[in-house]
Amino acid sequence: MGKRYLILLLITFLFGIAPGVVNGQTGAIAARVVETGTGTSLIGANIYLKSNLLKGTVTDYNGYFQLTLPIGDQQIEVSYTGMKSKIFTVTVKKNITLKLKTIQLVPESYTVQELVVRAGKFNKKLEDQTVSIEVMKPKIIQDRNTRNIATILDLTPGVTILDEEPQIRGGSGFTYGVGSKVGVFVDGMPIASADAGKPDWAFIPIENIRQIEVVKGAASVLSGSSSLSGAIYVRMKYPGLKPHTYVSTYIGTYTDPNKIAKKWWNGLAPITGIAFSHSLRLGDGYTDLVVGGTVSYDHNYQGPAVVIPPIVDSSGITNKDMANRLMRFNFNIRRRSKKTEGLNFGINGNFMKQKKASVMAWLDDTAGFYRGYPGAILVKDQFIFYVDPFINYYSKSGAKHEFISRVMYSNSKANLNQSNRWMVIYNKYEFRQQFKKVGNVDLISGVVSDYNRSAANMYAGSGSDTNYLWNASWYTEVEKKYGDVANLSFGVRFEYFNLNGKIKKFKPVFRFGSSFHVSKATYLRASIGQGYRFPTIAERYIRTKFGTFGVFDNPKLQPESSWNAEVGIKQAIKMGKFRGYADVAFFYQEYKNTVEYLFGFWDSTYTYAIAGFKFVNTGPSRVTGVDISLTGQATFSKHVVLNVMAGYTYVRPVALEPDMVFAHDYNPGGQTAFSYNTTSVNPKSHILKYRFLHTAKLDLELDVHRFAVGTSMRYYSKIVNLDKAIFDFEDATLATGGTMQAILYRNYYYHHNNGNMIWDVRVSYELSKSSKISVLSNNVTNRMYSLRPLKAEPLRNITIQYSLNL
């Protein structure tokens, strides 16, 4: 296991074995929390002491709680998302548990803000978590007129969305979104494609989101093999006692490019759409229904290729083909049983039709910055849906049995031989139990079957255009709480993979974690976990061409593995009018057999394609760093409130064996040995490719009566290192003397790769209690910039939004 493992495990256990220290002058209160009218148990309601917000608990799966308190008169507050809080005073007596009457909470408007945030599998408060978790609430999503969940995730400290590919704490480079090392889940089920393991952000029903949780660090035990460096959980909402309707419509345009880039369209470049969500309880009040959807049109800021003879572009892609069009409809239905207390069941569904154009490389780095390279524009026409039946049962003993299933299907018609049909069949049974009588122990255990099947000509590298990957797993995690002093958790997951019945792998992964309450407002945590990711169908078997170049299969590609450790501190802050949390985490990650997307001359005959890209396993690597975040609210008066969310992340990603040769190609100038040193533009510091060493995020919003003014900032430092093949690609195209369009990037890298700070602004006015109008501008300075090499990022756009909450 090595000295580093042992030292970090020792730190973890030192945090966890602290005995539960309970003040002798204490008593307790106990009660049940339900919803007024229906009597439905409120699971995870917050109960805390008004004089010390860090002293509290949450209700169990039947709505019950017990809370130890100092003796004497104590003021208690009970709160729950979407409900009016209740405050009352109790007299606590020494060594006596006072049983209170059932506490009933009344629903209020959907926009109510939750003071104590709950997150994670155990639905615990953030300060009790043994891992780093960031939470995004619906308000910031709606206020920013978020049309795609990726844009809001990019505001999260420690998270970068690089050309739709999620990265957490520098744990991955760039592989065009294929084989993501971050798991993405909607209501506990993965949303990644069957062939490439890539999330489609537009498919997530953003209009119905209740909460987004970002887990940083190895999350493979509870989240599965795709979660080497973290996981993103999206929780969808269910209705309260009163019906709720949300409608948002917007219209806007991209502005003209800045500086030397040329505008490729005439007139305006419109952005428009409408989104809605409606939730209510039907009939007898035991059936919940949520429906939502969106229709949108985006002209696109990137245009088709322009060719100069003798170059020929036979794709026939026009300006009109570049526009992105989307229609999506979703529903959630849940029925609570009248006869069997604690039983509910239902079905969720989501359907989307979209036409989307993606530019894999720009035309050039000057006038053609916002145009595509000939043969490198993918136009996709896709229909995709999922249907999720589920059953939940909460027993009187406090146990929860959950069975969830998903059938997800996609049919895409695309150019560049990228057409594809795939299907996912996902089933999970999970058991949760709180064992209060054996020392406050929480248990989660489950089994998963995840079957992925793809039919596409581009994956014929396996010998067939039809491929399947089946993953079966069993996991369990136990967490024990020592009074109000410490939490200790341990988890294990056993993974089995079967690819086309030919390649089979079995792998166990483990995780330890702890949190320690060191003072009234200070919490420490430590965790260490392993990760394991099996390559996707696309990574092993993709074989396709675009223009003169290709993508080559690698049937021998091996799984990635990792381990990840962190020590963090969370500090509650109450300073004048400001209340919030500051969080600092130091992390250490090591990766083995990392999969990278490398350019080379992979065909010895040069007949299929002269050169192209291939997924290969590279040498071992290490990522260390620090992650700092601040979240809070300053309430100056009833009508003047400032909301703050800020973060800074520093990563140091390095190659551990830079001279290790991990592949060979067939370069016409002589066979090339691939190592970190030979494939890097800047190998001196051993920094890994496509990483931003410094990132910073900020979102501020000042609400004054009916007015609100907000701004968001994202900062990315320069890319220190990238694949040397990009420069070789440029040299090869220039050497053709004009018979091939030159791929230009070297000049941009050396003269414009100096870091980027992007600002967005928004102003809104409440026309009434239920309606609001907003003016928003993203990239307000109209910065011309690129994060992923050869990819232009969006230029400035301005939109007007009208939203209605009823």
Side-chain angles (χ1 to χ4, degrees):
M1 184 176 289
K3 291 183 179 180
R4 285 192 294 266
Y5 267 111
L6 293 175
I7 292 172
L8 287 163
L9 283 175
L10 178 61
I11 292 172
T12 303
F13 278 110
L14 285 176
F15 277 119
I17 62 176
V21 180
V22 180
N23 190 334
Q25 301 297 312
T26 61
I29 60 171
R32 186 185 185 198
V33 183
V34 301
E35 181 183 67
T36 298
T38 65
T40 303
S41 300
L42 295 180
I43 305 160
N46 297 290
I47 298 92
Y48 53 92
L49 187 63
K50 285 290 289 181
S51 60
N52 179 4
L53 296 181
L54 297 178
K55 190 170 188 62
T57 187
V58 295
T59 54
D60 64 18
Y61 300 121
N62 287 306
Y64 290 98
F65 73 89
Q66 182 169 315
L67 177 62
T68 301
L69 296 167
I71 62 172
D73 291 340
Q74 305 294 345
Q75 196 173 42
I76 308 300
E77 181 163 350
V78 181
S79 67
Y80 187 81
T81 305
M83 302 283 177
K84 292 181 180 179
S85 298
K86 181 166 287 188
I87 301 173
F88 55 90
T89 301
V90 296
T91 301
V92 181
K93 297 181 180 180
K94 183 179 179 180
N95 298 329
I96 293 178
T97 298
L98 177 63
K99 294 185 178 180
L100 308 175
K101 293 181 180 180
T102 299
I103 301 169
Q104 299 186 23
L105 298 186
V106 178
E108 65 174 356
S109 67
Y110 173 68
T111 56
V112 67
Q113 296 185 31
E114 185 176 12
L115 179 63
V116 181
V117 176
R118 295 172 292 110
K121 284 279 190 176
F122 290 112
N123 273 321
K124 293 185 179 296
K125 294 184 294 182
L126 279 182
E127 60 267 25
D128 288 333
Q129 299 290 341
T130 61
V131 294
S132 293
I133 298 181
E134 300 284 349
V135 175
M136 307 291 281
K137 306 298 284 184
K139 185 179 187 303
I140 189 173
I141 297 173
Q142 294 178 6
D143 287 350
R144 286 177 49 83
N145 189 30
T146 305
R147 295 179 285 130
N148 185 304
I149 191 177
T151 59
I152 203 70
L153 288 170
D154 211 20
L155 279 177
T156 308
V159 179
T160 299
I161 307 297
L162 187 60
D163 196 15
E164 298 191 357
E165 180 177 335
Q167 302 176 350
I168 294 181
R169 291 176 172 174
S172 57
F174 176 71
T175 57
Y176 200 65
V178 176
S180 172
K181 297 177 178 63
V182 176
V184 182
F185 302 84
V186 175
D187 280 339
M189 287 177 283
I191 199 74
S193 62
D195 59 335
K198 180 179 180 180
D200 188 338
W201 303 112
F203 190 41
I204 297 176
I206 198 162
E207 62 276 1
N208 281 339
I209 289 177
R210 175 165 61 95
Q211 182 166 292
I212 302 172
E213 301 168 11
V214 178
V215 180
K216 303 177 189 177
S220 289
V221 166
L222 290 180
S223 304
S225 66
S226 62
S227 306
L228 257 69
S229 58
I232 298 168
Y233 285 91
V234 181
R235 298 191 185 192
M236 309 310 291
K237 68 179 180 181
Y238 275 99
L241 195 61
K242 296 181 180 180
H244 171 257
T245 301
Y246 170 75
V247 179
S248 173
T249 184
Y250 58 89
I251 187 169
T253 183
Y254 292 103
T255 64
D256 293 356
N258 193 8
K259 298 182 179 178
I260 54 177
K262 287 187 178 180
K263 177 181 176 181
W264 57 269
W265 64 89
N266 296 318
L268 298 177
I271 305 167
T272 185
I274 183 170
F276 78 96
S277 172
H278 181 66
S279 61
L280 76 163
R281 291 186 171 174
L282 301 174
D284 55 8
Y286 283 83
T287 301
D288 299 332
L289 173 65
V290 179
V291 293
T294 187
V295 177
S296 67
Y297 173 90
D298 188 323
H299 176 276
N300 207 333
Y301 65 95
Q302 294 176 292
V306 172
V307 295
I308 302 173
I311 300 169
V312 177
D313 178 18
S314 60
S315 66
I317 296 174
T318 65
N319 288 8
K320 185 179 179 180
D321 295 327
M322 298 302 295
N324 297 323
R325 302 170 179 87
L326 181 147
M327 293 187 297
R328 188 184 64 244
F329 173 78
N330 58 87
F331 66 88
N332 302 334
I333 302 174
R334 179 176 63 179
R335 174 70 179 178
R336 296 184 301 281
S337 174
K338 287 183 178 180
K339 296 181 179 180
T340 306
E341 184 178 357
L343 175 67
N344 69 74
F345 50 89
I347 187 167
N348 303 329
N350 190 15
F351 300 80
M352 183 178 75
K353 174 76 172 175
Q354 71 168 339
K355 185 174 181 180
K356 181 179 180 181
S358 302
V359 175
M360 291 178 279
W362 62 36
L363 183 66
D364 59 53
D365 56 358
T366 53
F369 192 80
Y370 294 110
R371 281 189 177 271
Y373 185 83
I377 301 175
L378 176 66
V379 178
K380 178 175 68 173
D381 193 344
Q382 180 188 33
F383 172 69
I384 182 173
F385 74 88
Y386 64 70
V387 177
D388 304 343
F390 64 88
I391 301 174
N392 297 311
Y393 175 65
Y394 303 89
S395 70
K396 293 181 179 180
S397 64
K400 178 185 178 183
H401 302 268
E402 178 185 58
F403 175 77
I404 54 178
S405 181
R406 167 166 290 172
V407 177
M408 184 162 61
Y409 173 82
S410 171
N411 187 354
S412 297
K413 297 179 181 179
N415 62 335
L416 304 180
N417 191 35
Q418 301 287 306
S419 296
N420 185 16
R421 289 181 291 111
W422 55 257
M423 179 176 64
V424 175
I425 301 176
Y426 181 88
N427 293 284
K428 180 172 75 170
Y429 166 75
E430 186 172 273
F431 170 79
R432 304 184 194 182
Q433 175 75 64
Q434 294 179 324
F435 298 97
K436 293 184 178 180
K437 294 182 179 180
V438 293
N440 288 324
V441 173
D442 291 331
L443 168 70
I444 289 181
S445 187
V447 291
V448 172
S449 171
D450 189 2
Y451 177 82
N452 299 265
R453 188 178 188 88
S454 172
N457 291 331
M458 60 179 165
Y459 301 136
S462 66
S464 171
D465 61 359
T466 301
N467 298 274
Y468 77 84
L469 173 62
W470 180 52
N471 169 219
S473 58
W474 170 83
Y475 62 91
T476 190
E477 184 162 304
V478 178
E479 184 168 315
K480 176 174 172 56
K481 187 170 184 177
Y482 295 89
D484 293 326
V485 177
N487 290 332
L488 174 67
S489 62
F490 167 77
V492 60
R493 189 182 191 103
F494 294 95
E495 298 267 20
Y496 171 77
F497 297 89
N498 185 325
L499 178 61
N500 291 337
K502 299 177 181 178
I503 301 174
K504 302 175 183 179
K505 294 285 185 180
F506 174 81
K507 177 71 175 180
V509 293
F510 300 90
R511 178 190 171 273
F512 300 88
S514 63
S515 65
F516 185 51
H517 187 181
V518 295
S519 69
K520 181 178 178 180
T522 306
Y523 285 79
L524 292 177
R525 66 181 181 277
S527 66
I528 181 170
Q530 294 177 307
Y532 181 79
R533 192 185 72 82
F534 194 85
T536 62
I537 293 170
E539 288 170 290
R540 281 183 182 269
Y541 296 135
I542 187 169
R543 186 174 180 84
T544 188
K545 292 200 301 183
F546 52 94
T548 310
F549 300 94
V551 181
F552 295 83
D553 56 303
N554 184 2
K556 296 182 180 180
L557 195 67
Q558 296 300 307
E560 300 177 271
S561 59
S562 69
W563 66 272
N564 188 312
E566 75 164 290
V567 176
I569 181 170
K570 184 176 287 292
Q571 177 68 47
I573 300 173
K574 187 177 182 181
M575 186 181 300
K577 303 292 185 180
F578 182 83
R579 293 172 65 185
Y581 284 103
D583 192 280
V584 180
F586 299 90
F587 53 88
Y588 184 107
Q589 310 166 67
E590 284 197 6
Y591 296 86
K592 184 179 179 181
N593 281 340
T594 300
V595 175
E596 292 189 21
Y597 196 41
L598 294 181
F599 181 84
F601 296 85
W602 303 110
D603 182 3
S604 60
T605 65
Y606 311 111
T607 55
Y608 179 73
I610 295 176
F613 294 90
K614 185 178 181 179
F615 291 97
V616 299
N617 294 110
T618 61
S621 60
R622 179 179 65 225
V623 181
T624 56
V626 60
D627 198 357
I628 303 170
S629 63
L630 173 68
T631 304
Q633 185 178 82
T635 304
F636 301 103
S637 70
K638 183 179 180 181
H639 298 291
V640 181
V641 178
L642 176 67
N643 295 293
V644 180
M645 184 178 68
Y648 165 76
T649 305
Y650 168 75
V651 298
R652 183 79 181 175
V654 296
L656 297 179
E657 297 181 20
D659 291 316
M660 186 188 94
V661 176
F662 49 78
H664 293 85
D665 78 340
Y666 302 95
N667 193 302
Q671 192 178 51
T672 304
F674 280 68
S675 68
Y676 167 83
N677 282 334
T678 62
T679 60
S680 294
V681 165
N682 182 17
K684 292 182 180 179
S685 58
H686 297 170
I687 297 296
L688 299 177
K689 304 165 188 172
Y690 308 115
R691 265 68 166 196
F692 305 104
L693 303 191
H694 304 270
T695 58
K697 311 290 177 68
L698 173 68
D699 188 86
L700 299 173
E701 182 174 281
L702 179 64
D703 298 337
V704 182
H705 294 277
R706 292 187 173 187
F707 285 96
V709 179
T711 184
S712 300
M713 183 276 294
R714 304 176 304 285
Y715 171 76
Y716 311 92
S717 62
K718 67 179 183 180
I719 293 179
V720 176
N721 191 19
L722 70 153
D723 194 345
K724 183 175 176 291
I726 293 179
F727 288 2
D728 295 338
F729 207 179
E730 180 173 333
D731 294 338
T733 54
L734 285 170
T736 65
T739 60
M740 183 179 293
Q741 172 72 40
I743 290 282
L744 302 178
Y745 185 71
R746 183 186 276 108
N747 180 70
Y748 182 90
Y749 176 75
Y750 285 121
H751 295 94
H752 301 280
N753 178 40
N754 300 313
N756 291 285
M757 182 177 291
I758 315 303
W759 289 92
D760 306 332
V761 297
R762 59 188 185 270
V763 179
S764 65
Y765 176 73
E766 291 183 359
L767 301 171
S768 66
K769 289 184 178 180
S770 59
S771 63
K772 181 169 65 174
I773 189 167
S774 308
V775 179
L776 309 97
S777 177
N778 295 328
N779 189 9
V780 67
T781 62
N782 207 15
R783 186 174 181 84
M784 177 178 160
Y785 72 108
S786 172
L787 299 179
R788 188 266 285 175
L790 303 176
K791 167 69 162 50
E793 297 297 330
L795 42 70
R796 178 173 55 213
N797 65 75
I798 300 173
T799 57
I800 300 174
Q801 177 196 22
Y802 173 78
S803 58
L804 183 68
N805 268 294
L806 296 175

